[in-house]
PDB file of all heavy atoms in Angstrom:
ATOM      1  N   PHE A  24      14.118 -38.296  18.903  1.00 97.00           N
ATOM      2  CA  PHE A  24      13.143 -37.259  18.570  1.00 97.00           C
ATOM      3  C   PHE A  24      13.540 -36.490  17.313  1.00 97.00           C
ATOM      4  O   PHE A  24      12.890 -35.519  16.939  1.00 97.00           O
ATOM      5  CB  PHE A  24      12.971 -36.293  19.739  1.00 97.00           C
ATOM      6  CG  PHE A  24      12.550 -36.981  21.006  1.00 97.00           C
ATOM      7  CD1 PHE A  24      13.445 -37.146  22.052  1.00 97.00           C
ATOM      8  CD2 PHE A  24      11.269 -37.504  21.129  1.00 97.00           C
ATOM      9  CE1 PHE A  24      13.061 -37.800  23.210  1.00 97.00           C
ATOM     10  CE2 PHE A  24      10.881 -38.164  22.278  1.00 97.00           C
ATOM     11  CZ  PHE A  24      11.781 -38.315  23.321  1.00 97.00           C
ATOM     12  N   GLY A  25      14.637 -36.917  16.686  1.00 97.00           N
ATOM     13  CA  GLY A  25      15.090 -36.264  15.467  1.00 97.00           C
ATOM     14  C   GLY A  25      15.916 -35.017  15.696  1.00 97.00           C
ATOM     15  O   GLY A  25      16.181 -34.274  14.755  1.00 97.00           O
ATOM     16  N   ARG A  26      16.312 -34.773  16.942  1.00 97.00           N
ATOM     17  CA  ARG A  26      17.125 -33.585  17.245  1.00 97.00           C
ATOM     18  C   ARG A  26      18.602 -33.897  17.054  1.00 97.00           C
ATOM     19  O   ARG A  26      19.079 -34.940  17.487  1.00 97.00           O
ATOM     20  CB  ARG A  26      16.895 -33.133  18.687  1.00 97.00           C
ATOM     21  CG  ARG A  26      15.505 -32.586  18.925  1.00 97.00           C
ATOM     22  CD  ARG A  26      15.375 -32.122  20.355  1.00 97.00           C
ATOM     23  NE  ARG A  26      15.617 -33.256  21.249  1.00 97.00           N
ATOM     24  CZ  ARG A  26      14.831 -33.610  22.257  1.00 97.00           C
ATOM     25  NH1 ARG A  26      13.761 -32.915  22.537  1.00 97.00           N
ATOM     26  NH2 ARG A  26      15.115 -34.648  23.009  1.00 97.00           N
ATOM     27  N   LEU A  27      19.312 -32.975  16.430  1.00 97.00           N
ATOM     28  CA  LEU A  27      20.744 -33.112  16.233  1.00 97.00           C
ATOM     29  C   LEU A  27      21.457 -32.787  17.539  1.00 97.00           C
ATOM     30  O   LEU A  27      21.196 -31.752  18.159  1.00 97.00           O
ATOM     31  CB  LEU A  27      21.226 -32.162  15.128  1.00 97.00           C
ATOM     32  CG  LEU A  27      22.720 -32.174  14.838  1.00 97.00           C
ATOM     33  CD1 LEU A  27      23.162 -33.542  14.308  1.00 97.00           C
ATOM     34  CD2 LEU A  27      23.063 -31.069  13.853  1.00 97.00           C
ATOM     35  N   ASN A  28      22.335 -33.670  17.970  1.00 97.00           N
ATOM     36  CA  ASN A  28      23.122 -33.458  19.185  1.00 97.00           C
ATOM     37  C   ASN A  28      24.597 -33.414  18.813  1.00 97.00           C
ATOM     38  O   ASN A  28      25.089 -34.295  18.101  1.00 97.00           O
ATOM     39  CB  ASN A  28      22.885 -34.599  20.182  1.00 97.00           C
ATOM     40  CG  ASN A  28      21.498 -34.554  20.753  1.00 97.00           C
ATOM     41  OD1 ASN A  28      21.229 -33.777  21.641  1.00 97.00           O
ATOM     42  ND2 ASN A  28      20.621 -35.378  20.222  1.00 97.00           N
ATOM     43  N   GLN A  29      25.267 -32.369  19.286  1.00 94.00           N
ATOM     44  CA  GLN A  29      26.694 -32.201  19.035  1.00 94.00           C
ATOM     45  C   GLN A  29      27.387 -31.881  20.346  1.00 94.00           C
ATOM     46  O   GLN A  29      26.892 -31.053  21.125  1.00 94.00           O
ATOM     47  CB  GLN A  29      26.943 -31.074  18.038  1.00 94.00           C
ATOM     48  CG  GLN A  29      26.364 -31.358  16.669  1.00 94.00           C
ATOM     49  CD  GLN A  29      26.575 -30.207  15.713  1.00 94.00           C
ATOM     50  OE1 GLN A  29      26.311 -29.061  16.046  1.00 94.00           O
ATOM     51  NE2 GLN A  29      27.046 -30.518  14.524  1.00 94.00           N
ATOM     52  N   PRO A  30      28.517 -32.501  20.612  1.00 94.00           N
ATOM     53  CA  PRO A  30      29.238 -32.204  21.850  1.00 94.00           C
ATOM     54  C   PRO A  30      29.895 -30.830  21.763  1.00 94.00           C
ATOM     55  O   PRO A  30      30.146 -30.331  20.655  1.00 94.00           O
ATOM     56  CB  PRO A  30      30.297 -33.310  21.921  1.00 94.00           C
ATOM     57  CG  PRO A  30      30.543 -33.666  20.495  1.00 94.00           C
ATOM     58  CD  PRO A  30      29.209 -33.497  19.809  1.00 94.00           C
ATOM     59  N   PRO A  31      30.210 -30.246  22.899  1.00 95.00           N
ATOM     60  CA  PRO A  31      30.947 -28.978  22.877  1.00 95.00           C
ATOM     61  C   PRO A  31      32.329 -29.186  22.253  1.00 95.00           C
ATOM     62  O   PRO A  31      32.903 -30.282  22.329  1.00 95.00           O
ATOM     63  CB  PRO A  31      31.076 -28.597  24.354  1.00 95.00           C
ATOM     64  CG  PRO A  31      30.212 -29.533  25.111  1.00 95.00           C
ATOM     65  CD  PRO A  31      29.891 -30.691  24.234  1.00 95.00           C
ATOM     66  N   ALA A  32      32.860 -28.142  21.669  1.00 95.00           N
ATOM     67  CA  ALA A  32      34.175 -28.228  21.019  1.00 95.00           C
ATOM     68  C   ALA A  32      35.238 -28.729  21.992  1.00 95.00           C
ATOM     69  O   ALA A  32      36.092 -29.541  21.625  1.00 95.00           O
ATOM     70  CB  ALA A  32      34.564 -26.863  20.450  1.00 95.00           C
ATOM     71  N   GLU A  33      35.191 -28.271  23.227  1.00 96.00           N
ATOM     72  CA  GLU A  33      36.212 -28.674  24.202  1.00 96.00           C
ATOM     73  C   GLU A  33      36.163 -30.176  24.480  1.00 96.00           C
ATOM     74  O   GLU A  33      37.201 -30.812  24.680  1.00 96.00           O
ATOM     75  CB  GLU A  33      36.060 -27.886  25.513  1.00 96.00           C
ATOM     76  CG  GLU A  33      37.201 -28.094  26.477  1.00 96.00           C
ATOM     77  CD  GLU A  33      38.592 -27.887  25.858  1.00 96.00           C
ATOM     78  OE1 GLU A  33      38.815 -26.869  25.190  1.00 96.00           O
ATOM     79  OE2 GLU A  33      39.455 -28.769  26.061  1.00 96.00           O
ATOM     80  N   ALA A  34      34.975 -30.770  24.457  1.00 96.00           N
ATOM     81  CA  ALA A  34      34.866 -32.223  24.655  1.00 96.00           C
ATOM     82  C   ALA A  34      35.527 -32.967  23.494  1.00 96.00           C
ATOM     83  O   ALA A  34      36.276 -33.930  23.707  1.00 96.00           O
ATOM     84  CB  ALA A  34      33.402 -32.627  24.790  1.00 96.00           C
ATOM     85  N   LEU A  35      35.258 -32.531  22.262  1.00 96.00           N
ATOM     86  CA  LEU A  35      35.901 -33.148  21.098  1.00 96.00           C
ATOM     87  C   LEU A  35      37.412 -32.964  21.150  1.00 96.00           C
ATOM     88  O   LEU A  35      38.167 -33.901  20.881  1.00 96.00           O
ATOM     89  CB  LEU A  35      35.360 -32.546  19.803  1.00 96.00           C
ATOM     90  CG  LEU A  35      34.095 -33.147  19.228  1.00 96.00           C
ATOM     91  CD1 LEU A  35      33.689 -32.407  17.964  1.00 96.00           C
ATOM     92  CD2 LEU A  35      34.258 -34.617  18.946  1.00 96.00           C
ATOM     93  N   LEU A  36      37.864 -31.778  21.486  1.00 97.00           N
ATOM     94  CA  LEU A  36      39.299 -31.521  21.584  1.00 97.00           C
ATOM     95  C   LEU A  36      39.947 -32.435  22.610  1.00 97.00           C
ATOM     96  O   LEU A  36      41.038 -32.965  22.386  1.00 97.00           O
ATOM     97  CB  LEU A  36      39.566 -30.054  21.932  1.00 97.00           C
ATOM     98  CG  LEU A  36      39.393 -29.067  20.796  1.00 97.00           C
ATOM     99  CD1 LEU A  36      39.402 -27.637  21.326  1.00 97.00           C
ATOM    100  CD2 LEU A  36      40.478 -29.255  19.750  1.00 97.00           C
ATOM    101  N   SER A  37      39.286 -32.645  23.724  1.00 97.00           N
ATOM    102  CA  SER A  37      39.817 -33.512  24.777  1.00 97.00           C
ATOM    103  C   SER A  37      39.988 -34.942  24.276  1.00 97.00           C
ATOM    104  O   SER A  37      41.028 -35.574  24.486  1.00 97.00           O
ATOM    105  CB  SER A  37      38.891 -33.471  25.995  1.00 97.00           C
ATOM    106  OG  SER A  37      39.378 -34.305  27.013  1.00 97.00           O
ATOM    107  N   VAL A  38      38.979 -35.464  23.586  1.00 97.00           N
ATOM    108  CA  VAL A  38      39.055 -36.823  23.040  1.00 97.00           C
ATOM    109  C   VAL A  38      40.137 -36.900  21.968  1.00 97.00           C
ATOM    110  O   VAL A  38      40.929 -37.854  21.919  1.00 97.00           O
ATOM    111  CB  VAL A  38      37.690 -37.274  22.488  1.00 97.00           C
ATOM    112  CG1 VAL A  38      37.805 -38.587  21.750  1.00 97.00           C
ATOM    113  CG2 VAL A  38      36.670 -37.374  23.610  1.00 97.00           C
ATOM    114  N   LEU A  39      40.196 -35.903  21.106  1.00 97.00           N
ATOM    115  CA  LEU A  39      41.212 -35.881  20.055  1.00 97.00           C
ATOM    116  C   LEU A  39      42.621 -35.873  20.639  1.00 97.00           C
ATOM    117  O   LEU A  39      43.513 -36.574  20.139  1.00 97.00           O
ATOM    118  CB  LEU A  39      41.006 -34.677  19.138  1.00 97.00           C
ATOM    119  CG  LEU A  39      39.825 -34.800  18.181  1.00 97.00           C
ATOM    120  CD1 LEU A  39      39.439 -33.450  17.613  1.00 97.00           C
ATOM    121  CD2 LEU A  39      40.140 -35.800  17.080  1.00 97.00           C
ATOM    122  N   ARG A  40      42.831 -35.103  21.704  1.00 97.00           N
ATOM    123  CA  ARG A  40      44.149 -35.087  22.351  1.00 97.00           C
ATOM    124  C   ARG A  40      44.493 -36.466  22.896  1.00 97.00           C
ATOM    125  O   ARG A  40      45.627 -36.923  22.777  1.00 97.00           O
ATOM    126  CB  ARG A  40      44.192 -34.042  23.460  1.00 97.00           C
ATOM    127  CG  ARG A  40      44.361 -32.631  22.946  1.00 97.00           C
ATOM    128  CD  ARG A  40      44.681 -31.658  24.066  1.00 97.00           C
ATOM    129  NE  ARG A  40      43.659 -31.604  25.085  1.00 97.00           N
ATOM    130  CZ  ARG A  40      42.609 -30.777  25.066  1.00 97.00           C
ATOM    131  NH1 ARG A  40      42.456 -29.933  24.057  1.00 97.00           N
ATOM    132  NH2 ARG A  40      41.734 -30.793  26.035  1.00 97.00           N
TER     133      ARG A  40
END
Side-chain angles (χ1 to χ4, degrees):
F24 303 107
R26 292 182 300 230
L27 178 64
N28 291 281
Q29 296 178 312
E33 189 51 49
L35 274 179
L36 284 168
S37 180
V38 172
L39 286 163
R40 282 192 300 270

